[in-house]
């Protein structure tokens, strides 16, 4: 992995606006781990870093999720760092494009940091930097070989089989967009 990625990972973690003392403690733990380049690889144990991006269409108020084949639940697109990734944003944008066919502006400041069991079969934990991606209106996602399905969902009509933590990520995205002056309209039904 490029050295620039490790430096960017640390800068990204420093930029994250933790909202509580528990979140600040989590950030400190991640920063300590972010000095080990082995944790940028999917073979890093007991944990490794990943990046994801939640695609949002602010014109319709919808979010795009993928049906993850290993966990059988809807999640935001994301995954492991690859050798071509120079930054966390590069990795999140690449994963989003690979899994949904969508492109957009990826905010470099994470919405959330998520430590969750690693469904990849290597390591015990994913340390996922969860970013926001604003996607141009009217874009249609496509299903990739990495997922069972991909779809836009109204934020008030998320699927029942959604992965733990995704509802909080969606709420954080709506709040970030609202604070930035990009109001997200109420989602239409269906």
């Amino acid at each position: 992995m490029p050295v620039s990625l490790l430096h960017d990972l640390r800068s990204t973690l420093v930029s994250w606006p933790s909202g509580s003392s528990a979140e600040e403690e989590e950030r400190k733990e991640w920063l300590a781990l972010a000095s080990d380049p082995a944790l940028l690889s999917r073979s890093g144990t007991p944990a490794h870093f990943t990046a994801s991006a939640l695609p949002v269409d602010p014109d319709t108020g919808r979010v795009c999720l993928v049906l993850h084949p290993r966990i059988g639940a809807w999640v935001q697109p994301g995954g492991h760092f690859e050798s071509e990734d120079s930054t966390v944003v590069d990795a999140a944008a690449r994963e989003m494009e690979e899994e949904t066919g969508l492109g957009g502006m990826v905010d470099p400041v994470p919405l959330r940091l998520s430590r969750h069991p690693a469904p990849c079969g290597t390591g015990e934990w994913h340390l996922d930097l969860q970013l926001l991606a604003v996607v141009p209106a009217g874009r249609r996602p496509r299903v990739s070989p990495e997922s069972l399905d991909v779809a836009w969902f109204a934020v008030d009509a998320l699927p029942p089989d959604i992965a733990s933590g995704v509802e909080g990520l969606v709420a954080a995205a709506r709040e970030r967009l609202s604070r930035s002056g990009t109001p997200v309209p109420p989602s239409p039904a269906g």
Side-chain angles (χ1 to χ4, degrees), residues 66-67 98-101 141-151:
V66 298
L67 185 56
E98 286 175 2
E99 294 182 19
T100 68
R142 62 164 169 69
V143 178
S144 78
E146 297 182 35
S147 58
L148 299 174
D149 199 0
V150 60

Side-chain angles (χ1 to χ4, degrees), residues 56-60 134-140 152:
V56 177
D57 178 342
D59 290 343
T60 65
V134 177
V135 176
R139 300 292 164 95
R140 290 181 177 239
W152 287 106

